[in-house]
Amino acid sequence: MSLSPSELESLLARDRWVRSLARRLAADPATAEDLAQETWLAALSARHARPGERPWLARVLRNAWKDHLRGLGRRQRRERAAAAAEALAPADELVAELELRERLMRALRELEEPLRSTLARRFFRDESLAAIARADGVAVSTVHERLARGLERLRARLDAEHGGRRGAWAATMLALGRRGGGGLGPLEVTGMTAGLKLAAAGVIVLTGVLGWVWFVREPTQLPPGLSRGDGAVEAPLAASSSASIASPPTLAAREPTGGAATSSVGPATEEPVLTGRVVDVHDAPVAGVELVLERRAGPVTAVSEADGGFVLAVDAEVSWWNKIHCTDERLVTLVAGASRGPERLVIVAPRAALAGRVVDPQGTPIAGAALAFRPRPSLFRELGLELAPAAVQAGWEGMSDATGAFALDPVALGSHFGVEARAQGFVAREVDLPETAGERLTVVLSPDTRVRLLSGRVLGPDGVPFEGARVSAGHEIVTTSADGRFELAAHADTGRNVQDEQGTWRPETREKVRVCALAPGHAPGSVEVELAAPPIELVLCLGPEPLSITGHVLDQDGAPRSGVVLWPRALTPFGRESRGVMGIDDFRTVEGEVCGTSSLGAVSAADGSFALGCLLGQIYDLEVFDSRTAGRSVVEGVHAGTRDLEVRLTPEPGTVRVAGRIFNGSSEPLVEVEVRPRRASFDRNSPPLLVGADYSRETDAEGCFEFEALATQGTVLDVFTMPWVTVELDGFSDLGQIEIVVPTPCELQVVLGDPEMADAFAVLDASGAELEMVEMLRRDGRSMAFTMDERVELTDGRSSVVRAPETARTLVLFRDGVEVLRRPLVLDPQGPTRVEL
């Protein structure tokens, strides 16, 4: 085809981006290069497409990748078919195998106890490490050590008899292992006969060809009619072992249902797919589960196969927030498609119903208590998942009635789950669930001596009871009923800590609280209450419409300026509430509630005009943010209700061009990363994100970004990767050529065979410096947050799944702050890394 100079320039600008995406799909550099070449061939051959646009190029590249996977699958099937005739080994190979078995058995019989029995039970009876440890009354780490010592003794004995590790016995073993095709891998070893499995384990452990890790899984009972991964119905899942292997990409190719394979080079119409697995709380596969993917375009369904795997056809890429639920009424979805490496994990459990009562210590029913079923962090630790929001489906939350009774359905039972109960005037509590279905649960809540219950009514400007008004005394927020009534807990504790005269930090308390009622479009009504005074009936009256400030923004020459953000510097606190699936505490303000938004502010229009509303009858200091240069200024002492306020912008000293590149630890550019300037001294009062203002830049295909003119004095750049990075501009001599390295965060979990071995771990870079890791935390049963620290705690010998930089090279274990073990570490940016010691 004939390309115009602009079209050719557009294609060349996308070259690095295309190659980077190809490397993400295919780990093999040669394959990635082939995919990139096929994509450009399709772009140059396209007649009725827009080949310079990223979505089009990404679609073509992914279809080329799927074609490659399909071809690889067909080739493997042909090779297996061709090898079927060779399945019957020649007589000399059979003789060699029999001789190897005899040598191995003789060497095993000559081993001393307990090494001999441990090896025999592990490899011949296929008992798990946990089962052997329980039978012998020792720790799992002791069994692991016996296996390693026993295999070392076998290897040494066979080496001495048959010419060393390169002798005939090892060559025969490797040949037998490769007969199944593809070399000696973890899954092939577990599929061998007992004798060959033991010999292969010796080769693997002692030659360093492959690190061998055992994963122990406890039995699980599934509902009747559902099958486990091997097809057995209505039977407990047997303990099994598996090993970590590389998984296919999330968007993988599906085999065609019939007909010849068609080439997808060019504008392809074949749908991408989403792959994943259905497992129980012990990570065992669950087959025969019907799944539904929630999305705006309509639901997509699939059924899990024998290994728990499923494939969902989607007409566009889906994000992590698209939930995948099971529809089987006998199961409850605990985690609806969390990411574990390249796959989406759906965790299910047998469905149960829970009923009970909420009472105080004297047995008096508590009405209106909020109850919520929650998976605990231990579930995520054991499944090797980063702590994430659970499915939070209907039936997980409820309220107690007038008799204190409640019902939650569906829920799951077991130590990985709990029920959290909250009620006005009582201390929140999380309780364990009963062991069996049908058992009633009694939740006892203790009165909170730090709070006082207040009650009253809210009236509108016309004196009529106001329904739906929001009322708070600085903590919880409640809503008035149809007759305008409310009940509210007022806390003496402000939630902050202060230093006393001796320098000791103590909780801050107060003797008075201000109770405030408000509704959108009305001025708030409030009253001050002494907590120690006798209880009285409160009456709060809402006022007329709130006030506003209007005016114009002009530059130093008097010309209007558009896109300038203005907002009040200090808003009036109102209360806090948990919002969204993650239950994150949202601190609300009076002005924001009156305006109906948490982003209170205004953006100047093309003529420089602005109107800042929803204000109280008081004086405000206004923050001014120039979204073009990130310059900041303050207009002090503005009365609410002011009209025709003139705001002048003058250029700040140190306003220069700022540009640079962002790449990861492998020198690959980070594409479409947001870079946002921020004034460090205004850290706690950043501008609200409003339509019409330009706050940031995104990196291009080369990882480059540019601010034409940026106010740099006291300014830092926030780079919104995970975790985000803050860059201080003062550290660069040339602000036009900044280079920012953001190591790829890799998922990491540490599991100890002996929980007493260590209580924390750290990771070091090549220079020996400790690196920060990101860990998700459940803060108070409802809300979640993350922390960045150089040490991660181990609970019962198991850590949470954390994010560690790809530059980590050493793992260090600690016990009571003292180093106890140090091991080399290599993290995989493409999937989770699990270290078992």
Side-chain angles (χ1 to χ4, degrees):
M1 66 178 294
S2 176
L3 291 176
S4 66
S6 61
E7 290 175 324
L8 182 59
E9 182 180 355
S10 176
L11 287 177
L12 293 176
R14 304 297 189 195
D15 181 65
R16 179 181 286 269
W17 179 83
V18 167
R19 296 180 186 278
S20 176
L21 179 57
R23 287 194 297 271
R24 282 184 243 164
L25 290 175
D28 177 52
T31 302
E33 180 64 24
D34 290 343
L35 293 176
Q37 294 295 338
E38 290 185 28
T39 302
W40 287 124
L41 178 62
L44 295 173
S45 303
R47 296 183 179 277
H48 303 290
R50 304 172 71 178
E53 294 189 356
R54 285 187 182 179
W56 190 91
L57 292 171
R59 186 168 63 252
V60 174
L61 179 58
R62 289 194 176 96
N63 280 297
W65 169 241
K66 288 188 286 185
D67 272 353
H68 168 76
L69 291 178
R70 275 198 299 270
L72 182 62
R74 289 192 294 270
R75 183 167 64 253
Q76 290 175 343
R77 289 194 298 275
R78 288 195 301 268
E79 291 176 354
R80 286 196 294 268
E86 302 176 5
L88 295 177
D92 56 345
E93 289 189 13
L94 292 175
V95 171
E97 181 177 341
L98 290 173
E99 290 180 354
L100 176 59
R101 286 174 181 269
E102 292 175 359
R103 297 169 187 168
L104 181 63
M105 295 304 298
R106 183 173 65 252
L108 180 60
R109 283 193 298 268
E110 294 174 357
L111 275 180
E112 68 274 15
E113 290 292 352
L115 304 183
R116 178 177 59 215
S117 59
T118 302
L119 287 174
R121 291 160 63 185
R122 176 69 186 103
F123 293 105
F124 286 87
R125 293 186 180 180
D126 204 23
E127 295 182 17
S128 68
L129 271 67
I132 299 173
R134 285 194 298 269
D136 291 352
V138 297
V140 174
S141 58
T142 302
V143 178
H144 200 167
E145 181 184 357
R146 289 177 182 175
L147 289 173
R149 287 166 49 204
L151 292 172
E152 173 65 25
R153 301 282 177 84
L154 283 182
R155 196 275 307 165
R157 196 179 302 268
L158 291 172
D159 278 353
E161 293 178 0
H162 305 287
R165 195 172 306 179
R166 298 179 182 273
W169 77 271
T172 303
M173 187 63 255
L174 289 173
L176 293 173
R178 293 193 185 99
R179 188 184 300 162
L184 197 60
L187 296 184
E188 293 158 354
V189 171
T190 58
M192 293 179 183
T193 61
L196 292 183
K197 188 191 301 183
L198 179 55
V203 173
I204 292 171
V205 172
L206 301 173
T207 61
V209 173
L210 180 66
W212 183 254
V213 182
W214 290 278
F215 292 83
V216 181
R217 192 177 299 140
E218 294 298 327
T220 294
Q221 181 71 44
L222 294 180
L226 287 177
S227 63
R228 69 184 192 192
D230 58 5
V233 179
E234 300 183 11
L237 291 175
S240 61
S241 61
S242 62
S244 299
I245 60 172
S247 302
T250 303
L251 290 175
R254 293 177 297 160
E255 287 299 324
T257 57
T262 57
S263 173
S264 60
V265 177
T269 58
E270 184 179 346
E271 295 179 332
V273 298
L274 182 71
T275 63
R277 293 176 63 235
V278 182
V279 300
D280 63 15
V281 295
H282 303 293
D283 207 13
V286 182
V289 176
E290 183 175 315
L291 304 164
V292 59
L293 169 68
E294 301 173 358
R295 58 178 193 153
R296 291 181 180 177
V300 180
T301 61
V303 177
S304 63
E305 299 177 355
D307 62 350
F310 63 84
V311 178
L312 288 162
V314 292
D315 57 7
E317 290 187 61
V318 294
S319 301
W320 62 269
W321 55 78
N322 292 103
K323 303 300 182 183
I324 306 172
H325 288 273
C326 78
T327 60
D328 194 302
E329 294 184 353
R330 296 164 297 175
L331 295 173
V332 57
T333 304
L334 301 172
V335 176
S339 297
R340 184 169 69 177
E343 68 179 2
R344 297 284 291 273
L345 208 62
V346 178
I347 305 172
V348 299
R351 174 175 177 165
L354 182 66
R357 296 176 68 237
V358 184
V359 298
D360 65 14
Q362 287 72 43
T364 305
I366 299 177
L371 296 107
F373 166 79
R374 295 283 186 263
R376 288 172 168 164
S378 61
L379 174 67
F380 297 89
R381 285 197 302 269
E382 293 203 8
L383 291 173
L385 285 173
E386 192 172 31
L387 188 62
V392 191
Q393 60 189 63
W396 281 20
E397 298 181 346
M399 301 284 290
S400 61
D401 61 18
T403 66
F406 69 90
L408 301 177
D409 184 13
V411 297
L413 302 179
S415 60
H416 289 308
F417 312 105
V419 167
E420 182 194 44
R422 292 172 174 264
Q424 289 279 351
F426 293 87
V427 179
R429 181 187 174 195
E430 183 177 295
V431 297
D432 298 331
L433 298 184
E435 293 295 330
T436 59
E439 184 180 343
R440 292 183 63 84
L441 179 68
T442 299
V443 181
V444 180
L445 296 183
S446 301
D448 191 342
T449 57
R450 302 169 302 171
V451 305
R452 173 184 168 186
L453 287 179
L454 306 175
S455 62
R457 292 185 302 159
V458 176
L459 306 179
D462 54 2
V464 176
F466 197 98
E467 179 183 3
R470 308 246 292 168
V471 187
S472 177
H475 283 74
E476 289 82 9
I477 301 174
V478 299
T479 304
T480 57
S481 59
D483 58 356
R485 299 197 63 82
F486 68 88
E487 288 189 352
L488 178 68
H491 293 248
D493 186 353
T494 65
R496 296 187 297 267
N497 290 327
V498 294
Q499 279 185 306
D500 58 18
E501 296 179 355
Q502 289 73 35
T504 303
W505 288 95
R506 302 184 185 279
E508 183 184 44
T509 59
R510 54 189 170 183
E511 298 178 353
K512 299 179 180 180
V513 296
R514 177 164 292 278
V515 182
C516 182
L518 48 82
H522 294 273
S526 63
V527 61
E528 194 173 64
V529 177
E530 292 188 9
L531 295 177
I536 60 173
E537 180 80 359
L538 303 179
V539 178
L540 305 176
C541 297
L542 299 177
E545 292 185 0
L547 302 175
S548 62
I549 297 174
T550 63
H552 288 77
V553 180
L554 310 174
D555 64 16
Q556 58 183 348
D557 299 323
R561 285 292 308 274
S562 63
V564 177
V565 182
L566 303 95
W567 73 100
R569 168 179 277 188
L571 299 180
T572 309
F574 176 60
R576 66 183 184 186
E577 61 185 349
S578 296
R579 289 179 175 263
V581 173
M582 296 179 69
I584 297 176
D585 281 343
D586 189 3
F587 292 87
R588 312 295 292 180
T589 64
V590 172
E591 292 87 350
E593 286 287 304
V594 170
C595 201
T597 178
S598 58
S599 299
L600 181 64
V603 180
S604 61
D607 62 352
S609 63
F610 70 90
L612 183 61
C614 305
L615 302 178
L616 309 182
Q618 62 187 49
I619 298 176
Y620 290 95
D621 293 338
L622 300 186
E623 296 277 0
V624 182
F625 174 77
D626 185 351
S627 65
R628 187 171 61 183
T629 66
R632 297 282 289 267
S633 59
V634 178
V635 180
E636 298 179 340
V638 182
H639 290 264
T642 299
R643 297 289 181 266
D644 299 325
L645 177 68
E646 184 176 291
V647 178
R648 289 270 183 171
L649 289 181
T650 57
E652 290 188 21
T655 300
V656 298
R657 174 180 176 271
V658 176
R661 291 181 65 243
I662 303 176
F663 45 89
N664 61 18
S666 302
S667 299
E668 296 175 338
L670 298 183
V671 180
E672 296 179 355
V673 171
E674 182 183 4
V675 182
R676 187 186 303 170
R678 171 173 56 86
R679 193 63 56 86
S681 59
F682 289 85
D683 185 31
R684 296 187 178 182
N685 200 23
S686 57
L689 300 180
L690 304 175
V691 176
D694 186 10
Y695 299 87
S696 59
R697 301 290 186 271
E698 279 193 353
T699 57
D700 59 16
E702 301 291 332
C704 298
F705 66 91
E706 179 183 10
F707 295 90
E708 295 82 2
L710 191 66
T712 60
Q713 289 188 2
T715 299
V716 297
L717 298 181
D718 286 333
V719 181
F720 286 89
T721 53
M722 180 58 191
W724 69 72
V725 176
T726 298
V727 180
E728 297 184 1
L729 296 180
D730 294 341
F732 295 93
S733 57
D734 186 355
L735 293 178
Q737 296 183 359
I738 295 175
E739 288 193 346
I740 303 172
V741 180
V742 182
T744 302
C746 306
E747 294 183 16
L748 171 65
Q749 184 180 30
V750 177
V751 179
L752 304 181
D754 180 6
E756 300 300 322
M757 180 180 182
D759 55 21
F761 77 90
V763 295
L764 314 180
D765 62 14
S767 67
E770 291 192 9
L771 301 175
E772 285 188 334
M773 292 173 282
V774 179
E775 181 180 9
M776 296 299 297
L777 301 174
R778 196 175 81 164
R779 196 162 54 204
D780 59 7
R782 289 181 60 86
S783 61
M784 297 177 65
F786 69 88
T787 181
M788 295 180 63
D789 204 344
E790 296 172 347
R791 300 281 175 94
V792 173
E793 292 185 358
L794 295 160
T795 303
D796 297 329
R798 187 184 298 264
S799 76
S800 301
V801 175
V802 300
R803 298 292 182 100
E806 63 179 334
T807 51
R809 294 293 178 266
T810 305
L811 174 72
V812 183
L813 298 182
F814 297 90
R815 177 74 182 178
D816 297 328
V818 179
E819 180 179 331
V820 296
L821 185 68
R822 182 176 292 225
R823 288 286 186 271
L825 178 65
V826 178
L827 297 178
D828 181 8
Q830 305 301 323
T833 299
R834 174 166 164 153
V835 178
E836 291 201 345
L837 297 169

